[in-house]
């Protein structure tokens, strides 16, 4: 029997979770992470991997290696460290490319997310009086809203240049048809479409392939903020023809607070050296970088968008983390994730209460790990009681608890325990 029929039949039985955990080929990855514990030593139920992913056990070794090489070699570490610092960012290109469905030349790890959105908009938001608008989703993450509005202002426009994709009256999530219709209707005046791959609040995953095609058909540039999609969904950025994307690495990618972010620039822009860009020496041709000449010669591909030499300790943490994604593979993680989140949804729907409802789409293709639970009457005390019972999730104003069982380190038993605690509280 496949997972979904057995869920429908036995999902509420007490043994379902342990019977689902036992054959799980990814279950052993849990032991590769530090799980936060309660004061009395129990594993907390950690459902906040969409906010800050847990620490891979190997991160310490990877960072210590760089501390040792720095201590041992000083500046010579740039060339003689076991993993030399000069090309260090190149060590994550292949795994990052595998993770987001890109070619290595299309990705680079650099800076942090909002900074990268701006740098990419410098190149890819090029408004003209006829075509200057930017399409975003209503309720986009605040930093993205600020970034977009300030880019408009920088070019002499104001927020009336923002086209917001808005749910139908009384609804919370967007219909793909409505998104495509808006693009078709407004597209001639739109310079840039920039949506989240997964909306941080509702957990809705957008059809990035269809949106990209619709945008291109109207002559728009299409970029995605993948903060909640990288390491969560199976992405095919190259094949989807996305122009650019950016993501952070501290959420599903488990590379630590403030971790180094990543960008994707499609190969067809890799050699477009006439794109405007803000330049720095790390984006300059490697052969002549240390000739220290005055003329900027950008590297081909995403690397050409780098400005500064990168933080090696952050990159070391990212290396450790990406190794786990390579071992598990995003395809297998996604399979498990659909089951985990499907199980969570099933159990929540079986709780008899009027106090909560799930706003995340029920179609597995339209969401990742996260379920957003609307708490009626915005009763935050429910969230506080969950926390007191050992559940780490988060509250997003005005009335949502976000929970994200992630397939690398969460189990079906975590989901079961969570649902029992919640059932008790409502
Ligand atoms: C988490 C998140 C950010 C955070 O931006 P930083 O620059 O990393 O602080 C921005 N946008 C979205 C959509 C996010 O989910």
């Amino acid at each position: 029997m496949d997972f979904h029929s057995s869920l429908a039949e036995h999902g509420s039985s007490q043994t379902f979770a342990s019977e689902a955990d036992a054959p799980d080929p990814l279950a052993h990855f849990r032991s590769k992470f530090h799980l936060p514990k309660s004061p009395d030593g129990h594993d907390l139920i950690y459902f906040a991997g969409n906010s800050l992913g847990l620490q891979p056990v190997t991160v310490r070794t990877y960072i210590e290696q760089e501390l040792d090489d720095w201590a041992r070699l000083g500046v010579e570490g740039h060339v003689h460290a076991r993993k030399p610092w000069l090309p260090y960012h190149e060590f994550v290109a292949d795994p990052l490319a595998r993770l987001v469905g890109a070619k290595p030349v299309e990705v680079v790890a650099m800076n942090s997310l909002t900074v990268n959105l701006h740098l990419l908009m410098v190149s890819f938001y090029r408004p003209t009086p006829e075509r200057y608008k930017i399409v975003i989703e209503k309720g986009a993450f605040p930093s993205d809203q600020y970034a977009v509005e300030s880019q408009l202002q920088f070019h002499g426009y104001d927020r009336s240049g923002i086209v917001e994709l808005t749910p139908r009256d009384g609804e919370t999530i967007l219909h793909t048809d409505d998104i495509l219709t808006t693009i078709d209707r407004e597209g001639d005046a739109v310079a840039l479409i920039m949506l989240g791959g997964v909306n941080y609040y509702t957990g809705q995953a957008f059809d990035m392939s269809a949106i990209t095609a619709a945008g291109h058909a109207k002559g728009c540039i299409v970029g995605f903020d993948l903060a909640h999609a990288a390491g969560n969904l199976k992405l095919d950025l190259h094949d989807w023809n996305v122009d650019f994307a950016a993501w952070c690495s501290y959420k599903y990618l488990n590379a630590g607070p403030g971790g180094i972010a990543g960008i994707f620039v499609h190969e067809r822009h890799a050699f477009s050296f006439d794109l405007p860009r803000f330049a720095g020496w790390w984006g300059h041709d490697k052969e002549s970088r240390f000739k220290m000449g005055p003329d900027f010669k950008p590297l081909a591909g995403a690397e050409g968008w780098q400005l500064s030499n990168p933080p090696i300790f952050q990159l070391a943490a990212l290396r450790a983390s990406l190794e786990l994604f390579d071992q598990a593979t995003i395809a297998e993680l996604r399979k498990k994730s659909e089951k985990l989140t499907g199980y969570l949804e099933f159990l929540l729907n079986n709780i008899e209460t009027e106090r909560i409802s799930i706003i995340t789409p029920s179609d597995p293709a339209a969401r990742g790990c996260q379920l957003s639970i609307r708490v009626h009457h915005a009763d935050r005390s429910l969230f506080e009681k969950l926390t007191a019972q050992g559940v780490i999730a988060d509250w997003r104003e005005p009335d949502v608890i976000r929970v994200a069982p992630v397939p690398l380190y969460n189990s079906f038993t975590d989901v079961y325990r969570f649902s029992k605690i919640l059932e008790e509280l409502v």
Side-chain angles (χ1 to χ4, degrees), residues 167-341:
R168 294 179 188 176
D169 277 352
E171 297 189 9
T172 322
I173 60 181
L174 290 159
H175 296 247
T176 302
D177 284 351
D178 294 352
I179 299 175
L180 302 183
T181 307
T182 307
I183 292 172
D184 194 49
R185 192 181 59 232
E186 309 269 348
D188 292 333
V190 169
L192 171 65
I193 298 168
M194 201 181 81
L195 307 184
V198 174
N199 179 269
Y200 82 102
Y201 189 81
T202 62
Q204 176 176 16
F206 297 115
D207 186 338
M208 290 180 252
S209 171
I211 292 168
T212 305
H216 286 169
K218 295 299 273 184
C220 316
I221 290 277
V222 185
F224 289 97
D225 181 333
L226 302 176
H228 283 268
N232 180 14
L233 302 181
K234 186 163 179 325
L235 303 167
D236 284 299
L237 298 181
H238 177 86
D239 287 348
W240 294 342
N241 247 331
V242 168
D243 290 291
F244 71 87
W247 56 89
C248 53
S249 64
Y250 47 82
K251 292 171 181 167
Y252 293 100
L253 294 190
N254 312 315
I260 188 163
I263 67 160
F264 164 91
V265 175
H266 198 279
E267 192 180 33
R268 69 177 169 281
H269 303 299
F271 305 95
S272 310
F273 299 124
D274 50 348
L275 281 174
R277 67 176 101 196
F278 286 169
W281 74 319
W282 229 249
H284 183 87
D285 172 52
K286 289 173 201 174
E287 304 305 314
S288 57
R289 183 187 287 149
F290 288 95
K291 296 215 162 62
M292 306 295 196
D295 295 321
F296 177 65
K297 185 175 165 208
L299 285 163
E303 278 189 296
W305 271 265
Q306 297 173 103
L307 300 186
S308 299
N309 76 99
I312 298 299
F313 303 135
Q314 293 290 0
L315 274 173
L318 181 61
R319 269 183 63 218
S321 163
L322 290 176
E323 223 170 67
L324 299 179
F325 278 91
D326 265 345
Q327 288 165 15
T329 76
I330 191 71
E332 288 304 309
L333 287 165
R334 179 63 175 146
K335 272 192 223 162
K336 175 175 172 185
S337 170
E338 288 184 15
K339 293 178 185 172
L340 267 183
T341 299

Side-chain angles (χ1 to χ4, degrees), residues 112-115 141 143-144 200 225 227-228 248 250-251:
S112 47
L113 173 54
T114 309
V115 171
F141 192 86
S143 201
D144 299 46
Y200 82 102
D225 181 333
H228 283 268
C248 53
Y250 47 82
K251 292 171 181 167

Side-chain angles (χ1 to χ4, degrees), residues 334-371:
R334 179 63 175 146
K335 272 192 223 162
K336 175 175 172 185
S337 170
E338 288 184 15
K339 293 178 185 172
L340 267 183
T341 299
Y343 180 47
L344 175 61
E345 178 184 44
F346 174 89
L347 294 177
L348 295 184
N349 285 339
N350 277 359
I351 298 177
E352 275 180 47
T353 173
E354 300 284 295
R355 288 183 63 192
I356 56 170
S357 54
I358 299 171
I359 62 170
T360 307
S362 56
D363 174 8
R367 68 183 184 203
C369 300
Q370 173 185 329
L371 291 184

Side-chain angles (χ1 to χ4, degrees), residues 39-84:
D40 60 2
H42 289 98
D43 280 355
L44 295 171
I45 299 175
Y46 195 81
F47 281 176
N50 56 341
S51 183
L52 186 78
L54 292 181
Q55 182 185 141
V57 172
T58 46
V59 160
R60 188 176 297 270
T61 322
Y62 278 64
I63 293 180
E64 273 176 0
Q65 178 170 319
E66 302 317 322
L67 285 168
D68 289 346
D69 285 356
W70 177 27
R72 214 163 43 82
L73 300 166
V75 70
E76 299 276 282
H78 283 303
V79 177
H80 296 300
R82 282 162 283 179
K83 288 282 176 189

Side-chain angles (χ1 to χ4, degrees), residues 148-179:
V148 160
E149 188 174 347
S150 60
Q151 284 284 334
L152 277 158
Q153 284 165 350
F154 182 70
H155 289 280
Y157 303 96
D158 62 23
R159 64 181 319 153
S160 64
I162 298 178
V163 178
E164 274 190 340
L165 299 167
T166 308
R168 294 179 188 176
D169 277 352
E171 297 189 9
T172 322
I173 60 181
L174 290 159
H175 296 247
T176 302
D177 284 351
D178 294 352
I179 299 175

